[in-house]
Amino acid sequence: SGDSGDSEGETYTVATDNNFVPFEFMNEETGEMEGFDIDLIKAIADEAGFNIEIESMKFDGVVAGMQSGRYDIGIAGMTITEERKETIDFSDPYYDAGLMLAVSADNDEIQSEDDLAGKKVGTRSGTTSETYITENHPDAELVTFPGIVEAYMDLESGRLDAVMYDVPNVQYYVANDAEGLKTAGDILQGEQYGIAFPKDSELVEDVNEALQTLIDNGTYDDIYEEWFGE
Ligand code: ARG
Protein backbone atom coordinates (compact mmCIF):
# COMPACT_ATOMS: atom_id res chain seq x y z
CA SER A 1 0.00 0.00 0.00
CA GLY A 2 1.76 3.21 1.10
CA ASP A 3 0.17 6.63 1.11
CA SER A 4 1.09 9.61 -0.95
CA GLY A 5 2.99 11.75 1.53
CA ASP A 6 5.77 14.07 0.42
CA SER A 7 8.33 11.41 1.20
CA GLU A 8 7.16 9.10 -1.62
CA GLY A 9 10.04 7.72 -3.69
CA GLU A 10 12.77 9.62 -1.87
CA THR A 11 15.85 7.99 -0.39
CA TYR A 12 16.64 8.78 3.24
CA THR A 13 19.67 7.99 5.35
CA VAL A 14 19.06 5.97 8.51
CA ALA A 15 21.57 6.06 11.35
CA THR A 16 21.63 3.04 13.62
CA ASP A 17 23.86 1.66 16.34
CA ASN A 18 26.39 -1.06 15.54
CA ASN A 19 25.67 -3.46 18.40
CA PHE A 20 22.46 -3.57 20.44
CA VAL A 21 21.01 -7.08 20.33
CA PRO A 22 18.36 -7.86 19.25
CA PHE A 23 17.50 -4.39 17.87
CA GLU A 24 20.50 -3.90 15.60
CA PHE A 25 23.64 -5.91 15.10
CA MET A 26 25.87 -7.11 12.31
CA ASN A 27 25.15 -10.53 10.87
CA GLU A 28 28.74 -11.63 10.35
CA GLU A 29 27.77 -14.14 7.67
CA THR A 30 25.84 -11.76 5.42
CA GLY A 31 27.65 -8.55 6.39
CA GLU A 32 24.24 -6.91 6.80
CA MET A 33 22.70 -5.16 9.76
CA GLU A 34 19.84 -7.13 11.28
CA GLY A 35 17.39 -6.87 14.13
CA PHE A 36 14.04 -5.58 15.31
CA ASP A 37 14.81 -1.92 14.57
CA ILE A 38 16.17 -2.80 11.14
CA ASP A 39 13.08 -4.82 10.19
CA LEU A 40 10.80 -2.13 11.58
CA ILE A 41 12.39 0.78 9.71
CA LYS A 42 12.42 -1.27 6.49
CA ALA A 43 8.71 -2.00 6.90
CA ILE A 44 8.00 1.65 7.66
CA ALA A 45 9.91 2.77 4.56
CA ASP A 46 8.00 0.23 2.52
CA GLU A 47 4.68 1.36 3.90
CA ALA A 48 5.44 5.08 3.51
CA GLY A 49 6.92 4.53 0.04
CA PHE A 50 10.46 5.80 0.54
CA ASN A 51 13.87 4.15 0.26
CA ILE A 52 16.48 3.94 2.97
CA GLU A 53 20.23 3.65 3.26
CA ILE A 54 21.28 2.25 6.61
CA GLU A 55 24.52 3.31 8.25
CA SER A 56 25.70 1.90 11.57
CA MET A 57 27.83 3.74 14.10
CA LYS A 58 28.31 4.23 17.82
CA PHE A 59 25.14 5.12 19.73
CA ASP A 60 26.41 8.62 20.58
CA GLY A 61 26.86 9.15 16.85
CA VAL A 62 23.19 8.44 16.22
CA VAL A 63 22.13 11.10 18.71
CA ALA A 64 24.72 13.57 17.38
CA GLY A 65 23.72 12.75 13.81
CA MET A 66 20.16 13.82 14.56
CA GLN A 67 21.30 17.01 16.27
CA SER A 68 23.50 17.99 13.34
CA GLY A 69 20.98 16.89 10.72
CA ARG A 70 23.60 14.67 9.12
CA TYR A 71 21.12 11.77 8.82
CA ASP A 72 17.40 11.87 8.11
CA ILE A 73 16.27 9.16 10.50
CA GLY A 74 17.77 7.49 13.57
CA ILE A 75 16.64 4.16 14.99
CA ALA A 76 18.69 2.65 17.79
CA GLY A 77 16.54 1.63 20.73
CA MET A 78 16.65 5.29 21.65
CA THR A 79 14.68 6.25 24.71
CA ILE A 80 12.39 9.25 24.36
CA THR A 81 13.55 11.69 27.04
CA GLU A 82 12.60 15.29 27.81
CA GLU A 83 16.25 16.26 27.56
CA ARG A 84 16.71 14.76 24.08
CA LYS A 85 13.40 16.28 22.94
CA GLU A 86 15.01 19.68 23.33
CA THR A 87 17.35 18.98 20.42
CA ILE A 88 15.79 16.17 18.36
CA ASP A 89 12.32 14.99 17.38
CA PHE A 90 10.81 11.57 18.04
CA SER A 91 8.14 9.43 16.46
CA ASP A 92 5.35 8.00 18.59
CA PRO A 93 6.73 5.36 20.98
CA TYR A 94 7.31 1.99 19.31
CA TYR A 95 8.69 -0.19 22.14
CA ASP A 96 8.29 -0.29 25.93
CA ALA A 97 11.57 -0.88 27.69
CA GLY A 98 13.28 -0.01 30.97
CA LEU A 99 16.56 -0.71 32.71
CA MET A 100 17.85 -3.86 34.37
CA LEU A 101 20.91 -5.21 36.16
CA ALA A 102 23.03 -8.15 35.10
CA VAL A 103 25.41 -9.83 37.56
CA SER A 104 27.51 -12.95 37.63
CA ALA A 105 25.38 -16.09 37.93
CA ASP A 106 27.03 -16.97 41.25
CA ASN A 107 26.59 -13.52 42.77
CA ASP A 108 23.98 -13.53 45.53
CA GLU A 109 25.16 -10.31 47.10
CA ILE A 110 23.55 -8.06 44.51
CA GLN A 111 19.84 -8.91 44.50
CA SER A 112 18.57 -5.51 43.41
CA GLU A 113 19.62 -1.92 42.90
CA ASP A 114 19.60 -1.51 46.69
CA ASP A 115 22.84 -3.48 46.84
CA LEU A 116 24.97 -1.30 44.58
CA ALA A 117 26.77 0.85 47.16
CA GLY A 118 30.51 0.49 46.75
CA LYS A 119 30.09 -1.80 43.74
CA LYS A 120 31.58 -1.35 40.29
CA VAL A 121 28.67 -0.87 37.91
CA GLY A 122 29.30 -0.68 34.19
CA THR A 123 27.22 0.69 31.35
CA ARG A 124 27.52 2.40 28.02
CA SER A 125 28.32 6.10 27.93
CA GLY A 126 25.69 8.54 26.73
CA THR A 127 22.77 6.30 27.65
CA THR A 128 19.85 6.58 30.04
CA SER A 129 21.56 3.97 32.27
CA GLU A 130 24.52 6.29 32.77
CA THR A 131 22.13 9.07 33.78
CA TYR A 132 20.18 6.72 36.05
CA ILE A 133 23.24 5.48 37.92
CA THR A 134 24.66 8.98 38.27
CA GLU A 135 21.39 10.30 39.68
CA ASN A 136 20.26 7.36 41.82
CA HIS A 137 23.46 5.58 42.84
CA PRO A 138 26.15 8.15 43.60
CA ASP A 139 27.63 5.65 46.08
CA ALA A 140 28.24 3.06 43.35
CA GLU A 141 31.42 3.19 41.29
CA LEU A 142 30.23 3.97 37.77
CA VAL A 143 32.37 2.68 34.90
CA THR A 144 31.34 3.71 31.38
CA PHE A 145 32.26 1.99 28.14
CA PRO A 146 32.04 3.08 24.50
CA GLY A 147 30.17 -0.18 23.74
CA ILE A 148 28.05 -2.38 25.99
CA VAL A 149 29.72 -5.63 24.94
CA GLU A 150 32.94 -4.48 26.60
CA ALA A 151 30.97 -3.94 29.81
CA TYR A 152 29.45 -7.42 29.65
CA MET A 153 32.88 -8.91 29.04
CA ASP A 154 34.30 -7.11 32.06
CA LEU A 155 31.39 -8.47 34.08
CA GLU A 156 32.10 -11.98 32.86
CA SER A 157 35.73 -11.70 33.82
CA GLY A 158 34.93 -10.26 37.26
CA ARG A 159 36.29 -6.75 36.68
CA LEU A 160 32.77 -5.37 37.25
CA ASP A 161 30.17 -6.31 39.88
CA ALA A 162 27.16 -5.44 37.75
CA VAL A 163 26.06 -4.00 34.42
CA MET A 164 22.98 -1.82 34.05
CA TYR A 165 21.36 -1.49 30.66
CA ASP A 166 18.11 -1.74 28.72
CA VAL A 167 15.92 -4.70 29.79
CA PRO A 168 15.51 -6.28 26.36
CA ASN A 169 19.25 -6.12 25.69
CA VAL A 170 20.22 -7.46 29.13
CA GLN A 171 17.71 -10.31 28.88
CA TYR A 172 18.73 -11.20 25.35
CA TYR A 173 22.43 -11.05 26.11
CA VAL A 174 22.11 -13.12 29.28
CA ALA A 175 20.02 -15.75 27.49
CA ASN A 176 21.95 -15.98 24.23
CA ASP A 177 25.42 -14.50 24.32
CA ALA A 178 26.68 -14.43 27.88
CA GLU A 179 28.70 -16.89 29.85
CA GLY A 180 27.69 -17.21 33.47
CA LEU A 181 25.53 -14.12 33.84
CA LYS A 182 22.02 -13.61 35.22
CA THR A 183 19.65 -10.70 35.66
CA ALA A 184 19.10 -9.19 39.11
CA GLY A 185 16.10 -7.32 40.47
CA ASP A 186 13.12 -5.75 38.77
CA ILE A 187 12.73 -3.44 35.82
CA LEU A 188 13.99 -0.01 36.76
CA GLN A 189 12.58 3.15 35.23
CA GLY A 190 10.01 2.47 32.51
CA GLU A 191 11.18 3.86 29.17
CA GLN A 192 9.84 4.03 25.63
CA TYR A 193 11.83 3.92 22.43
CA GLY A 194 11.14 6.35 19.61
CA ILE A 195 12.47 6.75 16.09
CA ALA A 196 14.57 9.92 16.03
CA PHE A 197 14.72 12.81 13.57
CA PRO A 198 16.48 16.12 13.28
CA LYS A 199 14.35 18.84 14.87
CA ASP A 200 11.30 19.85 12.81
CA SER A 201 11.76 17.05 10.27
CA GLU A 202 8.85 16.70 7.90
CA LEU A 203 9.26 12.94 8.01
CA VAL A 204 7.85 12.56 11.52
CA GLU A 205 4.25 12.55 10.39
CA ASP A 206 4.76 10.08 7.52
CA VAL A 207 6.68 7.73 9.80
CA ASN A 208 4.04 7.92 12.54
CA GLU A 209 1.31 7.16 10.02
CA ALA A 210 3.19 4.18 8.62
CA LEU A 211 4.01 2.90 12.13
CA GLN A 212 0.34 3.03 13.08
CA THR A 213 -0.62 1.15 9.91
CA LEU A 214 1.92 -1.58 10.71
CA ILE A 215 0.54 -1.86 14.25
CA ASP A 216 -3.03 -2.06 12.95
CA ASN A 217 -2.34 -4.59 10.19
CA GLY A 218 -0.28 -7.02 12.28
CA THR A 219 3.10 -6.40 10.62
CA TYR A 220 4.49 -4.90 13.83
CA ASP A 221 3.42 -8.03 15.76
CA ASP A 222 5.07 -10.30 13.20
CA ILE A 223 8.37 -8.43 13.55
CA TYR A 224 8.03 -8.44 17.34
CA GLU A 225 7.36 -12.17 17.33
CA GLU A 226 10.39 -12.80 15.19
CA TRP A 227 12.81 -11.09 17.59
CA PHE A 228 11.11 -11.46 20.98
CA GLY A 229 8.86 -14.50 20.55
CA GLU A 230 9.41 -17.49 22.80
N1 ARG B 1 17.71 3.21 25.55
C1 ARG B 1 18.96 3.72 26.02
C2 ARG B 1 19.10 5.17 25.63
O1 ARG B 1 18.38 5.62 24.79
C3 ARG B 1 20.12 2.95 25.48
C4 ARG B 1 20.08 2.80 24.03
C5 ARG B 1 21.25 2.12 23.50
N2 ARG B 1 21.01 1.84 22.14
C6 ARG B 1 21.91 1.33 21.34
N3 ARG B 1 21.57 1.12 20.13
N4 ARG B 1 23.08 1.04 21.80
O2 ARG B 1 19.92 5.87 26.15
Side-chain angles (χ1 to χ4, degrees):
S1 55
D3 68 17
S4 42
D6 292 342
S7 56
E8 192 93 12
E10 296 280 328
T11 296
Y12 296 111
T13 51
V14 175
T16 190
D17 181 54
N18 51 21
N19 201 340
F20 187 56
V21 289
F23 293 89
E24 51 260 354
F25 57 95
M26 175 67 76
N27 178 324
E28 298 295 347
E29 271 156 44
T30 63
E32 304 272 331
M33 290 301 292
E34 274 188 6
F36 178 85
D37 281 347
I38 305 300
D39 284 350
L40 183 63
I41 197 64
K42 282 181 179 165
I44 286 172
D46 233 30
E47 177 59 35
F50 57 77
N51 306 306
I52 51 173
E53 267 167 27
I54 296 174
E55 210 175 304
S56 59
M57 60 200 71
K58 286 194 193 306
F59 181 71
D60 312 29
V62 182
V63 180
M66 295 300 105
Q67 290 163 336
S68 68
R70 170 143 186 219
Y71 303 95
D72 300 308
I73 300 171
I75 187 161
M78 196 187 294
T79 303
I80 302 170
T81 68
E82 289 309 314
E83 193 189 344
R84 287 178 181 152
K85 270 163 54 179
E86 286 170 15
T87 56
I88 63 187
D89 279 351
F90 284 99
S91 70
D92 295 331
Y94 71 88
Y95 190 95
D96 290 332
L99 307 179
M100 188 163 262
L101 287 169
V103 297
S104 171
D106 56 19
N107 181 331
D108 36 47
E109 218 186 321
I110 300 177
Q111 308 262 2
S112 77
E113 67 169 332
D114 298 338
D115 306 317
L116 294 179
K119 302 295 181 198
K120 280 195 177 148
V121 186
T123 193
R124 184 170 190 162
S125 55
T127 62
T128 49
S129 291
E130 180 183 8
T131 309
Y132 186 88
I133 298 165
T134 306
E135 287 175 358
N136 299 288
H137 296 286
D139 47 359
E141 188 184 329
L142 172 64
V143 188
T144 58
F145 296 79
I148 198 65
V149 175
E150 290 98 305
Y152 287 132
M153 282 165 54
D154 270 17
L155 182 59
E156 282 164 355
S157 69
R159 278 191 291 270
L160 289 175
D161 299 304
V163 165
M164 185 183 291
Y165 212 39
D166 296 49
V167 185
N169 179 263
V170 169
Q171 287 179 335
Y172 191 94
Y173 192 87
V174 164
N176 299 290
D177 297 338
E179 268 169 52
L181 300 186
K182 66 179 180 188
T183 62
D186 299 324
I187 295 182
L188 312 168
Q189 175 165 284
E191 299 189 349
Q192 291 185 307
Y193 295 163
I195 298 163
F197 305 88
K199 201 97 196 122
D200 300 323
S201 166
E202 285 170 7
L203 275 173
V204 182
E205 207 177 313
D206 284 354
V207 166
N208 276 337
E209 242 175 70
L211 174 62
Q212 191 56 52
T213 302
L214 299 178
I215 290 170
D216 293 340
N217 72 15
T219 306
Y220 178 95
D221 284 343
D222 291 345
I223 298 173
Y224 187 95
E225 183 64 27
E226 170 156 2
W227 293 103
F228 300 103
E230 298 303 301

